[in-house]
Amino acid sequence: MIPLSIAWDDIGGLVDVRERFFAGAPVDSDVRDSVLDSWKRCRSAGLEPHHLVVPYSPDVVMEEALLRAADPVLERLTTSLAHVSMAVAICDGQARVVQRRGGKGRLSALLDDMNFAPGFCAAEDFAGSNGAGTALAGRGPTYLVGGEHFADCMSVLACAGAPVRNPLSGRIEAVLDISCLLGDGDPAMMRLVQEAAHDIEARLLEQSTERERALLAAYRMASRGSSAAGDGPRQPDHRPWKPGGGQDGEGLGRIDLAVLREKAEELIASPHRTLDEVTLSGGRVATLLRRPVTGAAGETGVVVEARVLGGPRLRHTKLTSPAGPTVPVRGTEGPEGAPTRGGTIAPPGRARAADPLPGTVPTARAAPAPPAVPATLASSAVQPDGTHDESGAEGWVLLVGEPGVGRLAVLARRRLELLHDASVRIGTTLDVTRTAEELTEVTVPRFADFAAVDLPDSVLHGDEPGPLGSGSMLRRVALESIHQESHLYEVGDLFRYVASTPQARSWEAGQSVLEPVLSEAQGWLAQDPERLRKVLEAGIHSLITVPLRARGTTLGIAVFYRSEKPAPFEDDDLSLAQEVVGRAATSIDNARRYTREHNTALALQRSLLPRGRPEPSAVEVAYRYLPAQAGVSGDWFDVIPLSGARVALVVGDVVGHGLHAAATMGRLRTAVHNFCSLDLPPDELLTHLDDLVGRLDRGEGWEVDNTQADSGIVGATCLYTVYDPVSRHCTLTRAGHPLPAIVGPDGTVDFVDLPAGPPLGLGGMPFETVEMELAENSQLVLYTDGLIEDRHRDIDNGLDRLRTVLACPGREPEETCEAVLDALVQGRPNDDVALLVARTHALGADRVAQWDISGDPALVSRARVAVTEQLSAWGLDELAFTTELVVSELVTNAIRHASGPVQLRILRDRTLICEVSDGSSTSPRLQRARTEDEGGRGLFLVARLTDRWGTRYTPHGKIIWTEQQLP
């Protein structure tokens, strides 16, 4: 039984649902999916439920073979339903009613009134949802009851329909329908109509088998007659073929026999070829000869003989010969060897099973045919020059069949080959556009003359596609054609399909659409009449559009066109297109999901990398970041301003790729910024970073959803450099990272002999630093290992090439970046590449003022005067009052609470920097004094009057520093 979502006690059971459907409201939960899909197709075709225009053809006929097969089945079905009021109708492959049997009284009158009678068309796009039309549109059995019919006049009926297919080709040749009044309806009607359709298909196959047997018998009798009369050439000897010489294929391997059958099918399907030559294993050559034959009842067909030669190839170059005679036979007799499935027959004298041809259905053995009258038929091998083959290689019957069936077998095999190639060639990458291109490349010209794939931009970006009716646009991402003059939309064009087009209907209904005659498809022409008339003039005559559906989502549309030469698309082509596009849709969806994940990871990584170009006065920087082919990675770089006009340059690399590497990189970069704010020395900073990585690697963090600890990382490397523009000193330290390069103003290149140190996370080993003085306008070059090392180049070779390209004096940092990447990176790298180039500057003596102050508090006033005079010389009188207060407070605190020498220094950089150093390692604390307190407000005032302040430690004490913005 088929479950129904609504109880159908009355005719108006779906009135409310249908009204909501026509109003555009969702009704998915109230009606079956198959019915809803049919309603959508009807609405797209512009049908009105209260007014139908059903075409009428007075001369509808059906093929005689189909009628012979259907008549007994229809008679039996009508008789079995005589006790109930049910009508049985058979329609042709276009849903036009050919016959209607049974059904009396009110039912007959209703069917006549609604034009369900011989000559009228019941196709869904004319008559709406009904048993025959919907079964044809859906290419499968269907059951509709009451208000599920689209037309109002049909809501009093219950109908069941099923397609009848040609058992050899799979093409729908007819549609069978059972109709009754609503009260007499039963879902079991669909089982009855399916069984009847299968009975008709079986009788069609029996007719084909009988014809093949008659043809074989005619061939056998013609051969005997020729031999007995002595008026023909020598006939084949039916002794078994043995290795090294023989006739009937015994001793040939399975592969050789399969090759012979395949070539025989092609020979049967080719009306202008009569001879073929096939090379087999072991140096043997088989000659195939095509002979036409006619049976007693007028059946026409073809027999293919095979001869195997054990020696060298035949001495001819052309593989065609004059066609053999067509021999009329007045009768037939049972063959000595019974035919097997698919038209392949056993050698004379015994039965040999054979594989069925593609697209055929095995049938039961038919009864022997009546005796035959001898006839004449030549059976010796014919050479290209017209002479007979007397080489001793005698033949046997390999295949018998009809040319039409042979054509279907060849087409079926080609379709299987196309499906195989599609499974191999589509989806080789995780790129949406490339996958769409692979779909068009596979199908042109083997299946269609033109193929196109249209996708929303959202799919190209990895997002979910929206509904086509919401105004979303489609972009043509792939187009393959046999020539350029197609006048179709080109790759990159953005457009919207009109609702009446097959593409829009296919998208909305999620079903494939076949338009066999485009010149009559007004809905297709409405898209762009001027352009599409040129398409028709170019010879394009038929179209198939298939939605790219994967995991319940429609991603886009694939469209196939044929032009004048090939035959128009048929139902079989529609099934093949659905299969190929279905495989491609899964690959496109996989690529889309990968694109989304990749874009998410890239967005995360970019959000964690520096934004904009840093502009510290100490250095002039340029940088490049190239992501790897494998996706996002954990490489990063940073330019971090420090106190005292200094700058920190950082380059790091987290091992691995993907979101985890990018997230770990973000953690480490944030940690470096935090440690820099503490003004830690480089070796101490890496020690703290090493400890952090170790804790992350051990999973010492918050658990995710209390179920899974933080996953560990494999490792990370880092290079940390601090440059002071006042002293031009550079301090460097590294943890397992490649050596930095220093390019002098004269172009000399040196790789700093810096102890490597262990990668971050290993722990237990101290990090060493190297301090050196750099000439002004030197260039510091920091990079990750992806720049100098890959699978085709070792690190030493990479360093040599880097040294060569850097040895150029007077080059700007931007030019250095371009030159390095051009020389060392070809295409997209296998690993991420981070490159940072910094040209050093010096802060001249005219921008630095420094005073040594002894421990006498009386000298504080002299310090204020000296600072005021210096600010006046620099033209910064506006900052004099604030700076006096800051200097007074910091110098007084150093004299009172610290030890050792006190030094005051001010620097005019991008900000005004004030520094007071002493020999104590005790850091002052910011306090909030109470109302009755007499002290504790000095450092609070300093913090309020300046933009930034802080403390950094030196080997001999500490420095308290402040910064103020210049006016």
Side-chain angles (χ1 to χ4, degrees):
M1 298 290 288
I2 299 176
L4 300 178
S5 57
I6 296 179
W8 303 101
D9 296 330
D10 60 272
I11 293 176
L14 269 180
V15 171
D16 294 339
V17 175
R18 294 170 76 248
E19 288 181 355
R20 284 190 285 116
F21 171 77
F22 290 118
V27 295
D28 297 19
S29 60
D30 299 320
V31 66
R32 289 182 287 155
D33 292 340
S34 59
V35 176
L36 182 59
D37 291 340
S38 176
W39 287 1
K40 290 180 179 179
R41 292 194 297 266
C42 295
R43 183 177 61 184
S44 299
L47 298 185
E48 299 178 4
H50 59 281
H51 178 67
L52 299 177
V53 179
V54 180
Y56 175 75
S57 302
D59 54 351
V60 177
V61 294
M62 184 172 286
E63 290 185 7
E64 184 179 350
L66 185 58
L67 281 177
R68 285 201 308 268
D71 279 342
V73 177
L74 295 178
E75 185 66 31
R76 185 170 62 250
L77 181 61
T78 305
T79 302
S80 66
L81 298 176
H83 62 287
V84 293
S85 181
M86 289 191 179
V88 179
I90 187 168
C91 308
D92 64 7
Q94 301 177 35
R96 296 176 299 185
V97 182
V98 179
Q99 293 182 12
R100 196 184 80 200
R101 304 187 182 194
K104 300 178 181 179
R106 183 187 175 202
L107 175 61
S108 179
L110 285 172
L111 294 177
D112 289 338
D113 290 342
M114 63 184 64
N115 294 328
F116 191 73
F120 287 98
C121 183
E124 189 181 71
D125 50 357
F126 294 114
S129 306
N130 67 88
T134 302
L136 180 62
R139 301 175 61 83
T142 186
Y143 178 67
L144 297 172
V145 57
E148 289 183 326
H149 291 86
F150 186 83
D152 294 339
C153 61
M154 294 185 183
S155 60
V156 296
L157 298 178
C159 302
V164 178
R165 300 176 183 271
N166 186 311
L168 295 177
S169 67
R171 183 183 298 111
I172 295 177
E173 302 287 357
V175 185
L176 197 59
D177 176 89
I178 300 178
S179 301
C180 65
L181 295 175
L182 180 61
D184 298 327
D186 192 317
M189 293 164 56
M190 192 165 76
R191 179 176 55 82
L192 291 176
V193 76
Q194 278 185 281
E195 292 177 352
H198 291 161
D199 290 343
I200 296 174
E201 293 170 355
R203 291 182 59 82
L204 283 172
L205 192 58
E206 288 175 5
Q207 292 180 18
S208 177
T209 304
E210 291 172 359
R211 285 195 299 270
E212 289 180 358
R213 289 178 176 175
L215 293 172
L216 178 60
Y219 169 81
R220 292 278 173 76
M221 293 306 300
S223 299
R224 289 177 188 164
S226 175
S227 178
D231 56 354
R234 180 172 57 85
Q235 298 305 307
D237 182 7
H238 294 312
R239 292 171 299 171
W241 183 92
K242 301 296 182 184
Q247 304 110 315
D248 62 6
E250 184 176 332
L252 291 179
R254 294 179 60 187
I255 295 179
D256 286 341
L257 288 173
V259 171
L260 287 177
R261 282 195 297 270
E262 178 179 337
K263 294 300 182 181
E265 291 167 7
E266 295 179 358
L267 201 57
I268 288 178
S270 304
H272 304 298
R273 296 177 58 203
T274 58
L275 191 67
D276 200 354
E277 185 178 270
V278 184
T279 301
L280 304 177
S281 60
R284 292 170 296 184
V285 177
T287 302
L288 303 181
L289 182 63
R290 179 184 191 269
R291 296 184 180 277
V293 62
T294 303
E299 304 93 346
T300 59
V302 176
V303 171
V304 177
E305 293 179 0
R307 286 173 174 77
V308 177
L309 302 176
R313 297 173 62 86
L314 297 178
R315 297 178 182 176
H316 61 265
T317 57
K318 296 178 65 177
L319 297 178
T320 60
S321 68
T326 300
V327 182
V329 179
R330 293 185 299 275
T332 59
E333 71 174 6
E336 295 175 12
T340 59
R341 299 174 229 175
T344 303
I345 67 171
R350 68 182 183 280
R352 181 189 300 274
D355 296 332
L357 296 181
T360 64
V361 180
T363 58
R365 182 173 301 177
V373 177
T376 300
L377 179 68
S379 62
S380 62
V382 180
Q383 299 302 316
D385 57 3
T387 62
H388 295 289
D389 176 18
E390 300 295 341
S391 62
E394 298 177 350
W396 77 96
V397 178
L398 176 64
L399 197 70
V400 61
E402 300 175 78
V405 177
R407 170 183 170 272
L408 294 175
V410 172
L411 290 177
R413 184 171 60 252
R414 290 175 180 171
R415 287 166 178 164
L416 289 175
E417 292 171 354
L418 178 60
L419 289 174
H420 174 266
D421 288 349
S423 64
V424 173
R425 294 175 54 187
I426 297 177
T428 59
T429 67
L430 286 173
D431 181 83
V432 173
T433 300
R434 180 56 195 148
T435 305
E437 292 171 348
E438 290 169 344
L439 171 59
T440 60
E441 291 169 0
V442 166
T443 53
V444 175
R446 298 169 61 181
F447 175 71
D449 295 327
F450 306 89
V453 176
D454 306 324
L455 301 174
D457 283 341
S458 58
V459 172
L460 295 175
H461 300 152
D463 301 326
E464 295 283 345
L468 188 63
S470 65
S472 60
M473 306 287 285
L474 292 180
R475 187 177 300 278
R476 178 140 296 174
V477 298
L479 174 66
E480 190 76 14
S481 61
I482 57 174
H483 58 76
Q484 298 300 320
E485 297 299 325
S486 66
H487 303 288
L488 299 170
Y489 290 118
E490 297 294 334
V491 172
D493 288 352
L494 192 64
F495 50 87
R496 181 186 294 108
Y497 279 118
V498 176
S500 62
T501 59
Q503 293 90 335
R505 287 154 42 202
S506 178
W507 179 293
E508 182 178 4
Q511 302 288 334
S512 303
V513 175
L514 167 63
E515 288 287 357
V517 185
L518 281 179
S519 59
E520 301 175 1
Q522 297 301 320
W524 174 73
L525 288 169
Q527 175 68 27
D528 190 339
E530 183 176 353
R531 175 193 292 270
L532 297 183
R533 286 193 186 96
K534 295 179 180 178
V535 171
L536 294 176
E537 292 171 0
I540 295 178
H541 54 62
S542 58
L543 166 152
I544 286 179
T545 175
V546 185
L548 287 154
R549 288 185 60 82
R551 302 177 178 92
T553 301
T554 301
L555 304 172
I557 293 291
V559 190
F560 304 98
Y561 301 89
R562 279 187 180 171
S563 55
E564 289 181 354
K565 242 182 180 179
F569 285 119
E570 301 175 345
D571 287 341
D572 293 342
D573 299 313
L574 187 64
S575 301
L576 179 60
Q578 290 171 341
E579 183 70 22
V580 174
V581 172
R583 301 184 184 193
T586 301
S587 298
I588 288 178
D589 191 50
N590 291 338
R592 178 190 67 82
R593 291 169 180 263
Y594 170 79
T595 301
R596 181 180 60 190
E597 298 292 337
H598 183 68
N599 291 342
T600 301
L602 279 179
L604 171 63
Q605 185 181 41
R606 288 168 182 161
S607 69
L608 298 175
L609 288 172
R611 296 186 179 181
R613 185 186 303 273
E615 297 181 354
S617 58
V619 291
E620 178 185 352
V621 299
Y623 57 87
R624 295 290 187 275
Y625 181 84
L626 300 180
Q629 293 179 354
V632 297
S633 184
D635 291 16
W636 90 92
F637 62 90
D638 244 322
V639 179
I640 306 173
L642 301 177
S643 62
R646 299 170 306 139
V647 64
L649 306 174
V650 191
V651 173
D653 183 3
V654 175
V655 178
H657 295 85
L659 283 172
H660 178 67
T664 303
M665 176 268 287
R667 286 175 163 180
L668 298 187
R669 181 170 178 258
T670 301
V672 170
H673 273 265
N674 291 334
F675 294 146
C676 285
S677 66
L678 300 177
D679 266 321
L680 297 177
D683 55 342
E684 290 188 28
L685 186 144
L686 284 191
T687 300
H688 285 287
L689 198 61
D690 175 70
D691 180 63
L692 172 64
V693 172
R695 286 187 283 111
L696 292 176
D697 205 13
R698 293 189 298 270
E700 296 178 9
W702 292 99
E703 293 186 350
V704 181
D705 296 333
N706 297 324
T707 59
Q708 185 178 8
D710 188 14
S711 57
I713 62 175
V714 177
T717 65
C718 185
L719 172 63
Y720 185 78
T721 302
V722 176
Y723 174 69
D724 187 345
V726 178
S727 62
R728 292 187 286 108
H729 282 188
C730 182
T731 305
L732 307 95
T733 185
R734 65 174 178 146
H737 204 81
L739 291 171
I742 296 179
V743 184
D746 58 353
T748 58
V749 180
D750 293 312
F751 289 99
V752 181
D753 187 13
L754 182 62
L760 298 174
L762 298 182
M765 296 290 291
F767 296 98
E768 300 183 43
T769 60
V770 169
E771 186 170 343
M772 55 194 308
E773 184 175 334
L774 301 180
E776 189 174 3
N777 292 324
S778 297
Q779 289 191 3
L780 272 167
V781 181
L782 286 67
Y783 51 88
T784 55
D785 58 357
L787 179 69
I788 58 173
E789 185 179 19
D790 60 27
R791 66 184 66 175
H792 305 296
R793 179 180 61 208
D794 60 27
I795 190 169
D796 292 333
N797 180 263
L799 289 174
D800 291 340
R801 295 182 63 180
L802 180 60
R803 182 191 297 273
T804 301
V805 73
L806 289 177
C808 181
R811 193 156 50 187
E812 297 292 327
E814 284 288 341
E815 297 174 354
T816 300
C817 286
E818 291 296 331
V820 168
L821 294 183
D822 290 344
L824 278 82
V825 180
Q826 303 298 328
R828 192 169 178 183
N830 295 319
D831 192 9
D832 281 23
V833 173
L835 174 64
L836 180 62
V837 178
R839 182 166 62 181
T840 63
H841 298 306
L843 203 61
D846 59 332
R847 301 171 66 182
V848 179
Q850 181 174 306
W851 300 272
D852 293 326
I853 301 174
S854 63
D856 186 359
L859 297 178
V860 175
S861 59
R862 296 183 184 180
R864 292 200 299 266
V865 172
V867 167
T868 302
E869 292 175 351
Q870 185 61 56
L871 292 179
S872 178
W874 285 343
L876 299 176
D877 295 302
E878 295 181 22
L879 300 178
F881 177 74
T882 303
T883 308
E884 278 189 82
L885 291 176
V886 170
V887 168
S888 177
E889 179 62 30
L890 295 182
V891 172
T892 300
N893 284 344
I895 293 175
R896 285 183 178 180
H897 306 293
S899 61
V902 177
Q903 187 181 72
L904 170 63
R905 186 173 74 165
I906 58 174
L907 298 88
R908 181 169 61 87
D909 190 36
R910 294 182 181 273
T911 59
L912 179 64
I913 302 170
C914 178
E915 297 180 339
V916 176
S917 62
D918 57 56
S920 172
S921 59
T922 303
S923 175
R925 292 184 302 153
L926 183 65
Q927 298 180 355
R928 293 184 178 274
R930 292 173 295 183
T931 305
E932 61 272 13
D933 291 343
E934 296 183 0
R937 297 181 176 86
L939 201 56
F940 175 77
L941 291 176
V942 169
R944 297 288 293 177
L945 294 173
T946 59
D947 296 296
R948 296 174 61 213
W949 76 280
T951 304
R952 74 172 179 268
Y953 295 92
T954 66
H956 309 291
K958 69 175 183 298
I959 297 175
I960 310 296
W961 57 270
T962 65
E963 289 185 6
Q964 301 175 69
Q965 291 293 330
L966 297 180

